[in-house]
Amino acid sequence: MPKATYTMTSHLLQDIAPQTPLSDPLSPAAAQSAVIELEGTRLVAVATLPERARGAIGKRETAIFRQAIATASEHRLPLMMLIDSAGAKVDEGVAVQGDLRALIGDLLVGRQRIPGVLAVLGHNTFGGASLVAMCADQRLYTPANRLAMSGPRLLYARNLHQHRVDAVISAASRLRRDPAGHATSGAPTALRNDIARWLASSRRIDLNVGSATESVATLPSARVSRSQQEQHAWVTCHGSAPPDHRDLADLAQAIQRLPTGLSLILRCQWSCHSLRAIDEARLQSLALVRLASSIEYRVRSGAAVELVIDGELSGGIYLALAACASQVRLTARGRVRSLPSRVAALITPKGDHPQASAEHLHALGIIDTLEAWDEH
């Protein structure tokens, strides 16, 4: 096994600092967590294990991550996430959406009490794992890292030029776009020094910085509209086509520009995150987390945000909009899937999972009420 891969496994925790395990070391989960001490500072570390199911994140892994976040928040300790992951465990079906919703929500809310979040990125950071990474204050990219909201197989199938996809998702490309990204060799000694430098820095960033300036469109755009009346505001994402990078920025801007205190009803018809290389080139995962952060900030400021799903919704768009929403509900047309039904067969041999009932989605924490939204 190459040394760079070795350093991103559970052995890394032992290589860089003394540790006290948080998760069960004998668990078959593709993640482990521990409290470690580095340069006299205690911090919580959680790592995916790429030698197990390619580090994919499912129910057991999200539980380990959430425990680590809760520990860091309760004890006001810095949090370090070591992420080498193929993304969500799609074989777990739509349930993974509920698990990732809870994880990303915990991380964005918990950031307010955690004195800094660092993500160290191994060879692969795809799908939901890329969103988790983008919730950090700073990211350390190892040389061979590849990061995208969709996995390479899906991006290759949806874009003509494989070499273009490879260039877009490379660490070199991401470092040019990521304002909080830094390079690391990933070797134990170098990584220890990089983490120590981060611990000595101010650590914190505002995830909303930049989201309102990415768009070149003037609101209201064709795909995002807003209105308000008395104590309520409405923002609608029009059309089932996936949003491009400008649509995501327009939506974040629309939410940020709303007057303080107004409750928000966010109605979404968009189906999934974009599968186009041009949108991945704009670091789509960070745009999605900035969108989620704009919702978290509004809720934290005391305004309710209700997500109304008005069509088939899946992937990163669901996670960005639902992670911090006060309530999620369906219209009569509303559906939630882990993957768009038209592309599931490209990811897993089992193809698409059967459509889950509203009752099942509610039990999984994917929606928060069985009461359908009243369109009248």
Side-chain angles (χ1 to χ4, degrees), residues 47-355:
T48 61
L49 308 179
E51 68 272 21
R52 298 181 185 174
R54 297 183 299 159
I57 299 174
K59 188 175 186 62
R60 285 186 290 206
E61 292 74 25
T62 55
I64 290 171
F65 268 77
R66 294 181 71 189
Q67 179 194 35
I69 294 164
T71 301
S73 177
E74 179 183 356
H75 298 284
R76 301 279 185 147
L77 298 175
L79 174 66
M80 178 176 65
M81 303 183 295
L82 312 169
I83 303 175
D84 191 336
S85 173
K89 285 186 174 177
V90 294
D91 286 345
E92 293 188 6
V94 75
V96 76
Q97 290 289 72
D99 295 328
L100 283 170
R101 177 196 179 191
L103 169 55
I104 295 167
D106 282 358
L107 192 47
L108 289 175
V109 172
R111 288 180 80 254
Q112 308 311 313
R113 289 180 53 85
I114 297 172
V117 182
L118 174 69
V120 183
L121 310 182
H123 284 189
N124 299 311
T125 315
F126 295 125
S130 73
L131 297 181
V132 173
M134 291 299 151
C135 292
D137 298 299
Q138 188 178 123
R139 283 162 289 282
L140 295 177
Y141 290 79
T142 54
N145 175 256
R146 301 180 302 166
L147 182 147
M149 188 59 241
S150 300
R153 189 190 316 171
L154 182 52
L155 291 173
Y156 293 157
R158 292 290 166 171
N159 295 275
L160 291 177
H161 303 293
Q162 181 173 329
H163 69 276
R164 165 67 172 157
V165 171
D166 291 336
V168 161
I169 67 178
S170 69
S173 173
R174 293 332 197 178
L175 283 165
R176 287 192 293 269
R177 279 282 175 181
D178 188 348
H182 300 269
T184 181
S185 71
T189 300
L191 186 55
R192 180 189 178 97
N193 292 337
D194 290 334
I195 296 167
R197 278 192 289 270
W198 171 73
L199 287 170
S201 71
S202 60
R203 305 180 201 159
R204 299 311 308 271
I205 63 164
D206 182 356
L207 284 174
N208 289 310
V209 171
S211 59
T213 60
E214 287 289 330
S215 177
V216 296
T218 300
L219 291 174
S221 72
R223 301 210 64 198
V224 178
S225 66
R226 66 178 183 179
S227 61
Q228 62 188 69
Q229 180 180 0
E230 297 179 351
Q231 300 302 309
H232 300 279
W234 290 264
V235 173
T236 300
C237 310
H238 297 280
S240 62
D244 63 20
H245 61 275
R246 293 163 297 188
D247 297 327
L248 294 178
D250 286 344
L251 179 54
Q253 190 177 49
I255 294 170
Q256 292 167 11
R257 286 184 171 184
L258 290 172
T260 302
L262 287 182
S263 62
L264 170 62
I265 297 174
L266 177 56
R267 184 172 179 175
C268 184
Q269 298 173 346
W270 296 345
S271 59
C272 184
H273 59 270
S274 174
L275 306 178
R276 301 192 309 162
I278 190 173
D279 294 315
E280 272 301 337
R282 297 297 187 105
L283 199 46
Q284 181 175 207
S285 302
L286 180 57
L288 288 166
V289 167
R290 283 175 169 166
L291 176 55
S293 184
S294 69
I295 295 173
E296 186 279 329
Y297 179 79
R298 191 158 191 86
V299 172
R300 177 160 42 93
S301 300
V305 176
E306 180 175 18
L307 171 62
V308 177
I309 299 172
D310 189 25
E312 182 181 293
L313 185 60
S314 65
I317 290 295
Y318 166 80
L319 294 172
L321 299 182
C324 296
S326 311
Q327 180 167 266
V328 179
R329 70 169 69 200
L330 305 175
T331 67
R333 295 179 294 276
R335 302 287 185 272
V336 179
R337 295 183 183 274
S338 56
L339 296 166
S341 54
R342 66 187 183 281
V343 301
L346 297 173
I347 302 297
T348 171
K350 295 181 180 179
D352 195 21
H353 289 266
Q355 172 58 50

